[in-house]
Amino acid sequence: PWTVAPDPVVAPRPGGGGGWLWTIDPAQFTDVDGRKYLYYGSYYGGISVTELTPDGLRAVGQPTLVAIDNKFEGSHVVRHDGYYYLFASTANCCAGPATGYSVHVGRSTSPRGPFTDADGLPLVASRAGGTPVLTQNGNRWIGTGHNGFLTDLTGQDWLVYHAIDRADPYLDEPFGINERPMLLDRLDWIDGWPTVRAGAGPSDGRTEAPVTTGAVDGRFDRPALTGWRVTDGAWQVVGTGPTGRLAGTGALVSRRALGGDVRVETDLRLTSTGPATGGASGLILDGVAVLVDPAAGRLTVHAGDATLGSAPLPAGFTGRDWHNLAVEVRGRQLVAELSPARLGDQVATLSVRLDRPVAGPVGVRADGPAEFDNLSGTRLYQPVHRAVPAPRVGALLPAYSDEFDGGTTGAGWQWVRPDDRVTVAGGALRWPVQSADLVGTGNTAGVLLRDAPDGDYVVETKLTLDLGEETVRNYQQAGLVAYVDDDRFARLSQVAIWNTRQVEYGYELPFGDGLAYGGNIGAAPATTTWLRLAHRVDPVSGEHEFRAGSSRDGTHWTWSGVWTFPAGTTPRIGLVAHGGAEPAVTAEFDYLHVYR
């Protein structure tokens, strides 16, 4: 049963202007030393981490900011290959058919950070880092964010998240409560970084599912030990049904042998009422024993009388609480993990090299009173090592491009609301940022457009826009636009959002009797940022899909979300610079290139 705690774990926190910082979205994490942490927070106040008391009921010490305000929320932390990965969601969760919510990540060698992205950029900087893990790909699902994490019986990781069906975005159309069903997709680790389906994004339709039944299973929901052989000691099933578990001492192994790369796991606890002076317990794989030994304070691997390796258990560990022990063998490499919740929160990890592959039965061993549940063994998952291809950039199309190397724009440009302050000189188009906007019904901003080629293409610009850092400059921006009309466009901009500087991929469309606007967030900008929109026509629906990309050096690109335009529309491409004239700042476009 649940017991109500008398006080909040983290108390309400006063914010600016008499309000309260957003102390929401808690995510608890247990480290390898047994210390417990709580991550919490949202846009107003950012994401912080605090240590918890051993019972998890109170925060202790001073919290540490790990992700900047006005960009991140919905944090979740896992430990993987020696790093701590902070998953966090960004953009608006709930803008109906224009929702661009997505999941980004940073990693650290400490649970308190600093967390940095794949480009080495910190998540607490004004130009905040964050490597995309999951973003919309042009199918039915948009706003893919606020994730959880799980591992199936084969060792494959999965991301749990919510999303919005862009054709059915509200519980009560046309506006109101956003309808956000829960989704589940495979999470791959490529070159040390997590990505959903190797970067393909959310699935739609029939696809692979987590493995929930092993080749060898010990659920102990019936009295008989079918499929198992007692080799030593005495064992019994305690209880039946969902609460059934195995109890006893000695060894119990499967009658079925597992060969090749395998994964075996079990939940276990030591039931001795005395001090932790013995009773090592754990898993057996073809004669190799992986044991939790509280008396020695170690997680150990043994083959016969030889100890192949060990790792420390947290101080004060007794083993009397349930823990999950998982062991993977790939070739001759064995990796063992002990965790309290089986959610990337290992309290001990160990990797050793075996002198032979494992090819025999699996089971459990207990040198003292112990209980086991959910014992399973199956073939190990096969990791994905290569990401799906990024959009390709082919030959330059000069007829659709402009180098801005004359005294005026080249042929083919068209204005919506001309701005006579724009100049072309010295190989650049310079556009003072307007005190105007495109969002909503006002439509006061100028748009500089040209026709796009048929078929697949990529449009690119090099933009210099000095928005400074830290200060509030809402919402000065400049960048690329794909434009049907004032009420249907996708705008990829370097933008100031409160104290942050972000690459936002905004989107507006008619919906119901009004308009919907939302944004998707890309990688961190620099003062000079390269921007791309990659266009393709969906061969089935005929929709125009525009995927956003950005770069800080013009060479290494980060690709983010996709916005779509209906079949039968004719999007044009172009430039924008608006969102506020104070303080004065000029956007400098070095070129506009269109590539096949």
Side-chain angles (χ1 to χ4, degrees):
W2 298 94
T3 301
V4 176
D7 299 302
V9 178
V10 179
R13 303 174 296 156
W20 300 88
L21 301 180
W22 293 1
T23 310
I24 62 173
D25 296 346
Q28 192 268 332
F29 175 81
T30 304
D31 201 8
V32 288
D33 58 5
R35 292 183 181 179
K36 295 179 180 178
Y37 296 89
L38 191 74
Y39 297 82
Y40 59 89
S42 184
Y43 299 126
Y44 185 29
I47 296 174
S48 295
V49 60
T50 185
E51 189 175 341
L52 300 176
T53 52
D55 61 11
L57 297 180
R58 290 185 296 110
V60 295
Q62 292 298 313
T64 302
L65 185 72
V66 292
I68 195 171
D69 54 334
N70 297 306
K71 184 171 182 180
F72 295 113
E73 69 172 6
S75 58
H76 189 92
V77 172
V78 300
R79 188 173 182 270
H80 180 84
D81 283 348
Y83 285 100
Y84 303 85
Y85 289 83
L86 172 64
F87 295 76
S89 294
T90 187
N92 191 317
C93 70
C94 312
T99 302
Y101 214 39
S102 58
V103 179
H104 288 205
V105 73
R107 74 182 186 185
S108 174
T109 56
S110 165
R112 288 187 176 272
F115 290 89
T116 57
D117 67 10
D119 295 324
L121 302 174
L123 271 59
V124 294
S126 178
R127 299 180 188 274
T131 295
V133 176
L134 171 65
T135 191
Q136 57 212 46
N137 57 15
N139 66 14
R140 67 187 281 199
W141 300 112
I142 59 175
T144 53
H146 202 147
N147 71 281
F149 174 90
L150 63 92
T151 302
D152 73 9
L153 291 182
T154 72
Q156 175 66 58
D157 292 330
W158 297 81
L159 204 75
V160 186
Y161 59 96
H162 63 63
I164 290 177
D165 184 340
R166 57 188 171 101
D168 181 24
Y170 294 104
L171 290 171
D172 187 12
E173 306 292 356
F175 294 98
I177 302 298
N178 284 253
E179 183 178 333
R180 300 181 288 169
M182 187 175 74
L183 279 68
L184 177 72
D185 271 307
R186 191 189 76 234
L187 182 69
D188 299 314
W189 298 85
I190 299 177
D191 297 328
W193 292 93
T195 182
V196 168
R197 296 201 309 135
S203 62
D204 183 14
R206 293 185 63 85
T207 186
E208 61 192 315
V211 175
T212 59
T213 302
V216 172
D217 268 317
R219 302 300 174 97
F220 310 120
D221 55 358
R222 56 185 63 85
L225 292 174
T226 306
W228 299 92
R229 179 167 54 89
V230 177
T231 62
D232 186 26
W235 296 90
Q236 61 177 325
V237 174
V238 179
T240 58
T243 60
R245 57 198 185 276
L246 181 71
T249 60
L252 179 80
V253 298
S254 62
R255 296 185 181 276
R256 178 178 179 180
L258 295 178
D261 296 341
V262 299
R263 186 176 188 273
V264 184
E265 70 167 82
T266 188
D267 298 330
L268 78 161
R269 66 174 175 178
L270 309 183
T271 54
S272 172
T273 58
T277 56
S281 300
L283 292 167
I284 305 171
L285 295 82
D286 192 18
V288 176
V290 181
L291 302 178
V292 179
D293 189 346
R298 311 292 292 182
L299 175 66
T300 61
V301 178
H302 304 275
D305 295 330
T307 300
L308 304 183
S310 70
L313 297 172
F317 183 91
T318 66
R320 297 192 187 105
D321 295 324
W322 283 103
H323 282 74
N324 178 267
L325 178 61
V327 179
E328 297 180 357
V329 178
R330 191 179 299 278
R332 297 186 181 183
Q333 194 67 34
L334 180 149
V335 177
E337 296 182 346
L338 183 69
S339 70
R342 201 182 176 277
L343 296 172
D345 54 351
Q346 309 92 350
V347 295
T349 62
L350 177 61
S351 178
V352 300
R353 183 78 175 172
L354 303 177
D355 61 2
R356 59 177 175 81
V358 296
V362 300
V364 295
R365 171 180 148 186
D367 296 341
E371 290 183 345
F372 296 86
D373 202 356
N374 302 316
L375 170 59
S376 182
T378 193
R379 295 299 298 270
L380 186 60
Y381 80 104
Q382 293 302 311
V384 175
H385 296 294
R386 182 175 297 178
V388 298
R392 295 181 58 188
V393 174
L396 180 70
L397 301 178
Y400 295 92
S401 304
D402 196 338
E403 302 294 339
F404 303 131
D405 54 4
T408 184
T409 54
W413 288 99
Q414 311 137 34
W415 272 103
V416 176
R417 292 175 293 274
D419 187 340
D420 58 11
R421 302 172 305 151
V422 172
T423 60
V424 177
L429 182 147
R430 294 176 176 84
W431 191 344
V433 172
Q434 296 179 292
S435 180
D437 205 351
L438 280 179
V439 176
T441 59
N443 300 325
T444 56
V447 189
L448 183 57
L449 296 169
R450 62 187 304 118
D451 292 339
D454 294 331
D456 296 350
Y457 62 85
V458 176
V459 56
E460 174 184 318
T461 192
K462 177 184 176 182
L463 167 67
T464 299
L465 181 65
D466 188 0
L467 296 175
E469 297 186 22
E470 299 293 348
T471 57
V472 174
R473 299 175 68 161
N474 292 336
Y475 289 96
Q476 290 185 313
Q477 62 188 283
L480 293 170
V481 67
Y483 178 94
V484 173
D485 55 40
D486 280 340
D487 296 332
R488 191 183 293 274
F489 61 85
R491 178 182 63 185
L492 179 63
S493 301
Q494 182 192 157
V495 58
I497 301 178
W498 294 96
N499 56 311
T500 70
R501 306 296 181 258
Q502 303 185 36
V503 172
E504 182 188 55
Y505 188 27
Y507 180 62
E508 184 172 88
L509 78 162
F511 188 81
D513 57 357
L515 297 171
Y517 178 84
N520 179 261
I521 301 299
T527 300
T528 298
T529 306
W530 285 255
L531 302 172
R532 281 178 178 171
L533 290 175
H535 170 268
R536 70 181 288 270
V537 176
D538 187 285
V540 176
S541 68
E543 287 186 319
H544 298 271
E545 298 178 355
F546 286 90
R547 186 178 181 188
S550 65
S551 172
R552 294 166 59 88
D553 59 9
T555 302
H556 301 93
W557 291 85
T558 299
W559 292 92
S560 50
V562 173
W563 290 122
T564 61
F565 294 84
T569 59
T570 306
R572 291 178 286 172
I573 54 178
L575 306 173
V576 292
H578 53 243
E582 298 295 336
V585 61
T586 296
E588 181 177 299
F589 297 92
D590 194 68
Y591 56 79
L592 185 123
H593 287 171
V594 179
Y595 302 94
R596 180 55 67 194

